[in-house]
Amino acid sequence: MKQTLKWIGIVLVSIVLLPLVAIFFIYKKATGKREYDPKVLDNLEEAAQDYVKKTAPLSDVDSRYKYIRLAEKALPAAKNIEVGEIENKKIDGPGGKISLRIYSPEADGPYPLMVYFHGGGFVTGSVQSTDGIARKLVQTTGYRVISVDYRLAPENPFPAAIEDAYATVAWVSKHLTSLRAKSKDIVVAGESAGGNIAAVVAQLAKSKGTPNISKQILLYPPVDIFSRDASVLYPSMDEFAEGYVLTKESLDKYFKLYLSGAGDRKYDPLVAPIRHKDVSDLPAAFVATAEYDPLRDQGEAYAEKLKDAGVPVYAKRLEKVPHGFMSTPSAATDETYELISEFLQEKL
């Protein structure tokens, strides 16, 4: 009897307790050390204060990114944001299969189409981590949203993410009928690193003459080098170097991981779209920046460059919020969705 109880105990530990310990360890490593400067909280709206308190600083991202990815896979879907059908699909890409998640509105089609690229510094993030944003875009705009799980660095450094992104938009343009598209026009959108990808894809489509991208939505995007030396051009890199979740140190580490083996291409427009010599005739752009974001100044500089080239641009700085504010409910988040919806409805 004692021997039986012993083996029952061993089985329970193996099946129940060990996995729970492993999950707890992954969670702790993924969240990192939660440190923030209480002095910065007075600058932020209430929802943004909670976001900063609950989100770990990302400075040690190079030692945590694998755990962050594992934790993201366990994130629950934002089912409280109701949409229509959701389809997970794989398509052929330049480096293997690309996973897509296709969100449809509750209303019947045909639908206008949006291809969405998640954030995460090109190192973390997934269609799961951006599920809430994709659903909300569907709900507020009426678009069918195709969310893209592009390849991530450092295993797949630049230009893997760009290759997957362009391949996806090209695939969408060839499957307009099966996607029940309202027209051949495609909107590209993304937040943070995904905003960079959307901007680059818009430039690639222009240079290649295909596919037909009508508008671009760039949410607090890095559009130039986002390493330490960017401080020379963009004061916000130093002004908000730490204390607001995304830090100057973490940006430097993301940049090095993304450009692993390709550091000599840091000024390539495929990395830094603001470096493209001719940005005229690009799709109309919506550019949202966050007041307390080290990337703020370069996003706003890109909006100005587009305007100067004659591109229709709607630029908005959201006040009292940090980088990544779209991931949490707030007044700024609601305002941004409303502005996106208005921007998409405008005839430009």
Side-chain angles (χ1 to χ4, degrees):
M1 184 66 178
K2 288 183 179 180
Q3 193 71 9
T4 302
L5 290 173
K6 175 184 175 182
W7 280 107
I8 290 173
I10 292 171
V11 169
L12 283 173
V13 168
S14 301
I15 294 176
V16 179
L17 293 181
L18 286 179
L20 287 175
V21 169
I23 291 169
F24 178 76
F25 175 77
I26 290 168
Y27 174 77
K28 291 294 287 183
K29 291 288 285 185
T31 54
K33 196 174 180 182
R34 284 183 174 160
E35 295 177 345
Y36 64 91
D37 183 355
K39 287 183 272 187
V40 311
L41 296 181
D42 291 339
N43 297 326
L44 304 172
E45 64 171 53
E46 188 175 347
Q49 290 180 14
D50 291 338
Y51 176 60
V52 169
K53 288 178 183 178
K54 295 175 182 177
T55 308
L58 298 173
S59 296
D60 56 342
V61 65
D62 53 341
S63 65
R64 290 197 295 125
Y65 69 88
K66 290 183 179 179
Y67 299 102
I68 293 171
R69 290 179 191 172
L70 288 170
E72 285 174 343
K73 287 182 179 179
L75 288 173
K79 293 182 179 178
N80 58 308
I81 306 173
E82 295 182 2
V83 295
E85 181 186 5
I86 298 174
E87 178 188 5
N88 290 305
K89 188 177 186 65
K90 291 185 183 293
I91 64 171
D92 292 328
K97 295 292 185 180
I98 303 171
S99 294
L100 309 178
R101 184 171 292 175
I102 304 172
Y103 299 81
S104 300
E106 291 184 300
D108 292 334
Y111 311 102
L113 301 181
M114 179 188 301
V115 180
Y116 189 81
F117 307 107
H118 65 76
F122 304 96
V123 175
T124 63
S126 65
V127 296
Q128 188 64 21
S129 67
T130 200
D131 181 72
I133 295 175
R135 286 170 177 262
K136 193 68 176 177
L137 283 169
V138 172
Q139 196 180 74
T140 56
T141 68
Y143 273 61
R144 172 171 269 181
V145 173
I146 298 99
S147 186
V148 187
D149 245 342
Y150 53 85
R151 285 173 290 165
L152 297 173
E155 299 90 342
N156 298 284
F158 171 82
I162 302 301
E163 291 173 345
D164 286 359
Y166 183 78
T168 299
V169 177
W171 177 86
V172 168
S173 71
K174 294 173 184 175
H175 292 80
L176 298 174
T177 301
S178 61
L179 289 168
R180 299 184 66 196
K182 194 171 186 178
S183 73
K184 65 178 181 178
D185 293 340
I186 300 169
V187 171
V188 291
E191 101 275 5
S192 195
N196 171 287
I197 292 171
V200 170
V201 168
Q203 292 185 0
L204 279 173
K206 174 198 164 186
S207 64
K208 294 175 181 289
T210 186
N212 189 60
I213 294 177
S214 58
K215 292 182 179 180
Q216 52 183 321
I217 297 169
L218 316 178
L219 306 175
Y220 35 84
V223 290
D224 202 349
I225 53 174
F226 48 99
S227 57
R228 290 181 182 277
D229 48 348
S231 299
V232 177
L233 293 172
Y234 309 110
S236 60
M237 283 288 287
D238 283 333
E239 193 175 353
F240 311 116
E242 56 186 26
Y244 295 95
V245 182
L246 183 64
T247 67
K248 181 179 178 180
E249 182 184 353
S250 66
L251 284 167
D252 190 57
K253 290 178 177 178
Y254 277 130
F255 192 71
K256 288 174 180 174
L257 291 170
Y258 182 49
L259 287 188
S260 176
D264 59 331
R265 297 185 66 181
K266 67 180 183 178
Y267 299 123
D268 189 323
L270 295 176
V271 174
I274 200 171
R275 301 276 174 168
H276 203 291
K277 292 179 180 178
D278 180 13
V279 295
S280 61
D281 300 320
L282 283 172
F286 174 87
V287 183
T289 56
E291 181 178 7
Y292 295 99
D293 181 359
L295 294 174
R296 184 195 70 193
D297 289 353
Q298 58 178 266
E300 293 176 358
Y302 190 54
E304 284 302 313
K305 182 167 184 170
L306 292 174
K307 280 183 185 177
D308 290 344
V311 176
V313 175
Y314 185 91
K316 174 70 175 179
R317 178 190 291 186
L318 283 301
E319 297 179 352
K320 295 187 176 183
V321 288
H323 185 88
F325 71 87
M326 292 293 286
S327 298
T328 187
S330 70
T333 306
D334 291 342
E335 181 181 1
T336 303
Y337 284 120
E338 289 175 12
L339 292 172
I340 289 171
S341 185
E342 291 172 9
F343 169 73
L344 291 174
Q345 291 171 22
E346 286 184 15
K347 303 284 186 183
L348 299 172

